[in-house]
Amino acid sequence: MNKDAQMRATINQKLIETGERERLKDLLRAKLIECGWKDQLKAHCKDVIKEKGLEHVTVDDLVAEITPKGRGKKTQKQAS
């Protein structure tokens, strides 16, 4: 394990031990909901399903389609 990985593991362990990891996750979740991120992804999912048809979309397809948007990255389709 390299030094960075060791540092991340140590920090993560301390966050878990102190309960701060859950608090940070809750805070992040609340901020994402507050800024509309969750609703935007939900709408994008609905658009993908409408475009491809419910019977032609798998969960894996949906995840592959929305992950770049969720991470703030553009897909080839979006960049065009």
Side-chain angles (χ1 to χ4, degrees):
M1 188 181 290
N2 67 32
K3 199 170 190 169
D4 286 342
Q6 287 176 329
M7 178 79 71
R8 280 193 299 274
T10 301
I11 292 169
N12 193 45
Q13 185 61 37
K14 291 290 184 188
L15 288 172
I16 291 169
E17 288 172 4
T18 61
E20 285 297 297
R21 186 169 191 269
E22 284 304 312
R23 189 185 73 75
L24 289 171
K25 281 174 48 177
D26 291 342
L27 180 62
L28 177 60
R29 186 177 295 114
K31 291 290 185 182
L32 290 172
I33 290 168
E34 181 182 307
C35 75
W37 180 83
K38 182 179 174 184
D39 292 334
Q40 291 171 6
L41 282 186
K42 185 176 180 179
H44 186 60
C45 287
K46 288 180 179 183
D47 291 343
V48 170
I49 292 168
K50 283 180 187 175
E51 180 183 313
K52 294 184 178 191
L54 181 60
E55 61 280 349
H56 300 291
V57 178
T58 65
V59 171
D60 290 337
D61 293 338
L62 202 51
V63 169
E65 185 77 31
I66 67 166
T67 297
K69 183 176 180 76
R71 292 183 176 163
K73 299 177 183 174
K74 292 188 177 196
T75 62
Q76 290 292 345
K77 199 178 214 181
Q78 291 173 326
S80 314

